[in-house]
Amino acid sequence: MRPTVSVAVKDRIFMTTQRKILVTSALPYANGPIHLGHLVEYIQTDIWARFQRLQGHTCYYVCADDAHGTPIMLRARQDGIAPEELIATVHKEHEADFADFQIGFDNYHSTHSDENRACANEIYLKLRDAGHIATRTISQSYDPEAEMFLPDRFIKGTCPKCGAEDQYGDNCEVCGSTYAPTELIHPVSVISGATPVEKDSEQYFFKLSDFTDMLQQWLRQGHVQPEIANKLDEWFEEGLQDWDISRNAPYWGFEIPDAPGKYFYVWLDAPIGYMASFKNLSDRTGISFDEYWHSETDTELYHFIGKDIARFHTLFWPAVLHGAGFRTPTAVYCHGFLTVNGQKMSKSRGTYVKARTYLDNLDAEYLRYYYAAKLSSGVDDIDLNLDDFMQRVNSDIVGKVVNIASRCAGFINKRFDNRLSASLPDSRLYQELVDAGASIAKAFESREYSKAVREIMALADKSNVYIDDNKPWVLIKQEGKEADTQAICTQGINLFRVLMIYLKPILPRTAEKSEQFLNNELHWHTLSEPLLDHTINKFKPLMTRIEKTQIETMIEQSTEHLEQNNKSTSATEPLVDDPIAEQIQFDDFTRLDLRIVKIIKAEHVEGADKLLQLTLDLGGETRCVFAGIKSAYAPEMLEGRLTVMVANLAPRKMRFGVSEGMVLAAGPGGENLFILSPDDGAQPGMRVK
């Protein structure tokens, strides 16, 4: 029998030599693309899972599309297709995006599956039979025009606690309060705009309060981060409320057993999707499902999630598992959100970047490395500063790590027949890098990736100093120094190998290329065994520098290709239009130089789906502007018209040319877009006041 896994919940010190681990990420919603905000979580989880495997542990990483709920039903209806077709299409897109970002799932499934239906029914029936399910008639918000009950996130109104406007029906994003949608002031339906009415309906509830003692004990054992535990204390102070787990037809999901017309609320069957995905894997491979979902001594279970869905995973989910006779998670790890250039991701600024748009322009491992360099074990938000992103990747990975191999490999390849020397000239330096492995491993284990990266880069600096001090390019020109040159380059290549072992969880593709170059697999347990008297292969570039034009093109494409149906940063929220942008001050507004202009020429832009090239008369000065209004206007409709432009906007280089300003337009997009037109009498060059 395997040694018992002993968990010190503070430091996660494991006493067994080999662990059996199951790890999951939150399920992305199946009606929109993956974007850079989502990827924080999947990259974080993937690095941790790869690290565990590199340590020699058994680690399965599973996930699935969250494929149920009203948003998917409405999106499919809007597109004129069946929900099954929508989720199948999105599933393929998600799989492709994840694969190209090297997210190494052992199984990627869907909550709309036979396994998930079976697991959800089993859990529900066990909870019901144990007395943890209750029914009662409640008053719910109903859209009289759409003729359907409204999910919480499909109602907006004024917060009943703080008075903030435009808040969702379940919680206020301004003051953080939670409430019932019926408590909203001036509620409106997001679907039709109608005022919801109250309508009685019988619903099914999970009696969360039955598990108050169990949950308090579980939380005290350190299964969640301190920040999350402190936040959850507020729920216990108010008393745990029963959780409505049912929805009325029409609803896209699984019908509740013996309850015609009632469906499992998406948040009931979504986390069960973790079990279903693993069940699908175990049925195909022979892995024991029960060993991972019933035993808390021989196996470990970890969930990586965003802080916005913490309460579902740290209250409802462990209570549901415990009540149905399954194991509870070893730990639930929450992370913060992503900002870009210090601000919330924005479609108008081009920083709401889809995974595929990124991949069309940049190497996935640039982002993997940058996220790792920013991530810690806490729940703080991280910022993707695009200038820092370029500088850090170019400096660290290309300029420091890859540079070590490229500086040394040429001599070994050309002058020494690809053969490394039989000994290291500085075994002390090599041992210093090897000894750092314990600290780096501890940082990876505790999800302090930024700390691990700092340590690795400090070692890379020392390695480069060694090469700079010994100057093999000078030594090779001196008579009788061939053996010394070979030894110094052998030292450098071995230092590079140690660094790549440490970076393998972060940069799996670069590690694979390094293995081909080194003619040797990178394993943590071989750190202390340098490659000596060993034949390597010809060096090929492992990673190239980021060019600023690549980032500019990505932003440009993200700005041009706006979609009404993109998801918000949280993968669990329904699709709604962007709210009004953050407030500005009057002084900010006065900085805008708005001018009347005459469109003297309008042309199609070859290769652009949404752009027209406008030549504008600014009252004696001519400007060229690229405007995304092609869907609403043919060029001949614009020539000779007056409109308004932002005249003091900095020129922006695009792949089609330089845009020297911005014309103003309004509307939801597509054909319903309208450029601003001044009254008769306005003249080009006049300032708008």
Side-chain angles (χ1 to χ4, degrees):
M1 183 175 178
R2 293 174 63 254
T4 297
V5 176
S6 177
V7 183
V9 294
K10 276 278 188 182
D11 298 319
R12 299 287 166 201
I13 300 170
F14 294 84
M15 299 176 64
T16 180
T17 56
Q18 185 180 34
R19 297 154 60 186
K20 290 187 175 183
I21 302 168
L22 174 59
V23 60
T24 77
S25 297
L27 313 184
Y29 206 50
N31 71 336
I34 302 299
H35 58 61
L36 298 193
H38 296 130
L39 285 165
V40 171
E41 179 169 310
Y42 302 102
I43 289 173
Q44 182 190 38
T45 317
D46 184 71
I47 290 172
W48 198 79
R50 288 180 183 274
F51 166 74
Q52 300 300 342
R53 298 182 192 119
L54 192 59
Q55 294 292 294
H57 304 308
T58 298
C59 183
Y60 299 111
Y61 179 18
V62 301
C63 195
D65 274 339
D66 183 359
H68 288 155
T70 304
I72 288 175
M73 178 181 71
L74 296 177
R75 169 73 183 276
R77 184 185 301 172
Q78 174 186 322
D79 293 348
I81 59 177
E84 291 90 344
E85 183 178 349
L86 171 62
I87 62 179
T89 299
V90 173
H91 187 81
K92 291 180 181 178
E93 294 172 355
H94 285 182
E95 282 193 311
D97 288 346
F98 286 136
D100 288 345
F101 268 99
Q102 296 116 61
I103 307 300
F105 297 124
D106 291 283
N107 197 52
Y108 190 76
H109 205 38
S110 171
T111 59
H112 190 65
S113 64
D114 292 338
E115 295 90 349
N116 203 39
R117 184 191 297 273
C119 288
N121 287 350
E122 177 186 356
I123 286 175
Y124 169 77
L125 292 173
K126 285 182 175 179
L127 293 174
R128 185 196 66 182
D129 293 346
H132 300 306
I133 301 295
T135 61
R136 66 172 182 266
T137 299
I138 63 172
S139 181
Q140 291 182 288
S141 297
Y142 183 83
D143 186 327
E145 293 187 15
E147 296 184 337
M148 61 180 294
F149 286 95
L150 293 170
D152 299 347
R153 303 292 282 186
F154 275 70
I155 308 170
K156 280 194 167 184
T158 300
C159 172
K161 309 289 185 180
C162 72
E165 298 180 351
D166 199 39
Q167 298 304 309
Y168 289 114
D170 56 354
N171 73 283
C172 177
E173 295 182 337
V174 175
C175 70
S177 297
T178 59
Y179 41 72
T182 53
E183 297 179 72
L184 273 178
I185 302 169
H186 307 308
V188 295
S189 166
V190 172
I191 298 172
S192 69
T195 300
V197 298
E198 299 296 309
K199 193 171 182 179
D200 288 345
S201 175
E202 184 181 63
Q203 298 299 334
Y204 291 71
F205 289 80
F206 171 60
K207 297 163 69 175
L208 183 63
S209 57
D210 288 354
F211 301 89
T212 299
D213 292 340
M214 169 260 158
L215 287 170
Q216 287 181 318
Q217 181 180 1
W218 184 77
L219 292 169
R220 281 196 299 270
Q221 292 171 343
H223 297 284
V224 302
Q225 292 133 300
E227 305 98 310
I228 301 300
N230 292 338
K231 183 66 177 176
L232 294 176
D233 283 342
E234 299 174 10
W235 284 68
F236 289 102
E237 290 173 4
E238 297 176 1
L240 298 182
Q241 303 298 308
D242 292 350
W243 179 33
D244 186 352
I245 62 168
S246 63
R247 293 295 184 268
N248 296 304
Y251 192 80
W252 173 243
F254 293 141
E255 197 167 29
I256 299 176
D258 302 325
K262 303 292 183 183
Y263 290 78
F264 287 128
Y265 174 40
V266 61
W267 264 110
L268 187 282
D269 69 65
I272 295 173
Y274 303 138
M275 305 175 74
S277 183
F278 188 73
K279 185 71 167 65
N280 179 264
L281 176 66
S282 64
D283 287 346
R284 290 187 288 105
T285 61
I287 303 167
S288 173
F289 176 85
D290 288 342
E291 185 177 15
Y292 284 85
W293 285 100
H294 285 287
S295 172
E296 296 194 21
T297 56
D298 291 342
T299 59
E300 305 162 44
L301 172 64
Y302 299 92
H303 299 304
F304 285 72
I305 61 165
K307 62 184 179 182
D308 57 327
I309 54 175
R311 62 179 176 136
F312 291 101
H313 284 79
T314 58
L315 289 179
F316 302 125
W317 179 231
V320 164
L321 287 170
H322 183 78
F326 291 96
R327 62 156 305 150
T328 53
T330 307
V332 177
Y333 295 137
C334 299
H335 61 81
F337 298 137
L338 177 74
T339 57
V340 181
N341 292 336
Q343 295 179 297
K344 182 179 179 181
M345 293 197 309
S346 164
K347 298 175 184 178
S348 62
R349 288 190 293 266
T351 56
Y352 189 104
V353 182
K354 294 186 292 186
R356 187 50 51 184
T357 305
Y358 175 97
L359 291 165
D360 287 342
N361 293 281
L362 294 161
D363 191 316
E365 296 205 329
Y366 298 155
L367 193 69
R368 289 180 64 101
Y369 176 76
Y370 192 75
Y371 281 176
K374 305 281 271 190
L375 280 164
S376 70
S377 61
V379 297
D380 295 331
D381 297 346
I382 68 169
D383 183 55
L384 170 58
N385 181 289
L386 293 172
D387 288 336
D388 181 58
F389 165 68
M390 181 178 71
Q391 188 277 331
R392 185 173 295 201
V393 170
N394 289 346
S395 173
D396 289 3
I397 301 301
V398 181
K400 293 181 181 180
V401 178
V402 171
N403 191 47
I404 297 170
S406 64
R407 297 172 85 185
C408 298
F411 297 107
I412 299 295
N413 292 149
K414 296 174 184 177
R415 302 297 292 270
F416 303 105
D417 196 27
N418 300 323
R419 196 74 182 173
L420 300 178
S421 63
S423 62
L424 294 177
D426 192 341
S427 58
R428 178 201 58 77
L429 177 59
Y430 182 82
Q431 189 61 46
E432 182 180 349
L433 264 69
V434 171
D435 290 344
S439 176
I440 293 169
K442 183 178 180 181
F444 273 122
E445 174 66 44
S446 59
R447 307 172 329 285
E448 294 287 352
Y449 301 161
S450 59
K451 183 177 185 295
V453 166
R454 286 195 301 272
E455 291 193 43
I456 294 168
M457 288 305 133
L459 298 176
D461 286 335
K462 291 184 178 181
S463 301
N464 277 292
V465 167
Y466 171 84
I467 297 169
D468 289 338
D469 288 347
N470 287 277
K471 298 179 174 56
W473 54 90
V474 174
L475 207 61
I476 193 65
K477 298 176 182 178
Q478 300 176 11
E479 185 177 351
K481 294 295 184 178
E482 290 85 358
D484 290 341
T485 303
Q486 182 186 21
I488 290 167
C489 291
T490 296
Q491 174 93 26
I493 286 173
N494 272 281
L495 297 177
F496 165 78
R497 173 177 169 269
V498 173
L499 296 173
M500 283 311 306
I501 290 175
Y502 295 151
L503 287 169
K504 189 173 183 179
I506 300 172
L507 306 174
R509 185 177 294 165
T510 302
E512 184 178 349
K513 293 178 183 178
S514 300
E515 289 175 333
Q516 294 170 358
F517 157 61
L518 294 169
N519 192 26
N520 180 261
E521 292 187 3
L522 300 174
H523 295 296
W524 202 283
H525 68 270
T526 63
L527 279 169
S528 60
E529 304 167 11
L531 297 181
L532 301 173
D533 197 21
H534 173 83
T535 299
I536 63 174
N537 292 315
K538 183 178 179 180
F539 178 81
K540 297 179 182 178
L542 299 175
M543 186 177 286
T544 57
R545 293 173 58 85
I546 301 176
E547 299 296 336
K548 192 171 183 64
T549 53
Q550 294 172 277
I551 295 176
E552 291 172 344
T553 300
M554 177 183 73
I555 297 301
E556 171 194 325
Q557 292 174 352
S558 298
T559 305
E560 292 174 7
H561 301 159
L562 303 185
E563 296 182 64
Q564 293 299 310
N565 289 329
N566 272 345
K567 281 288 295 168
S568 61
T569 304
S570 170
T572 61
E573 294 178 356
L575 281 93
V576 294
D577 291 338
D578 279 348
I580 294 174
E582 55 267 31
Q583 291 183 340
I584 63 173
Q585 301 302 313
F586 182 79
D587 288 344
D588 296 325
F589 178 76
T590 59
R591 294 175 61 195
L592 294 177
D593 187 2
L594 302 179
R595 298 294 182 103
I596 304 296
V597 291
K598 183 177 181 179
I599 303 172
I600 57 178
K601 190 175 183 181
E603 305 170 88
H604 292 292
V605 179
E606 185 177 353
D609 296 330
K610 299 185 179 182
L611 292 181
L612 291 179
Q613 182 176 346
L614 306 180
T615 303
L616 307 175
D617 176 12
L618 190 59
E621 178 186 357
T622 301
R623 296 277 189 95
C624 173
V625 169
F626 292 92
I629 57 176
K630 185 175 180 179
S631 60
Y633 293 97
E636 58 269 22
M637 299 168 62
L638 295 170
E639 292 183 357
R641 292 185 57 171
L642 296 179
T643 188
V644 180
M645 77 170 295
V646 182
N648 62 337
L649 185 68
R652 186 160 68 102
K653 184 178 180 181
M654 306 174 71
R655 69 173 184 267
F656 312 104
V658 177
S659 186
E660 301 172 299
M662 177 188 294
V663 296
L664 301 185
E671 297 179 356
N672 297 313
L673 194 63
F674 309 93
I675 64 170
L676 302 191
S677 298
D679 292 338
D680 293 340
Q683 296 294 323
M686 284 184 174
R687 186 165 186 175
V688 179
K689 298 183 178 180

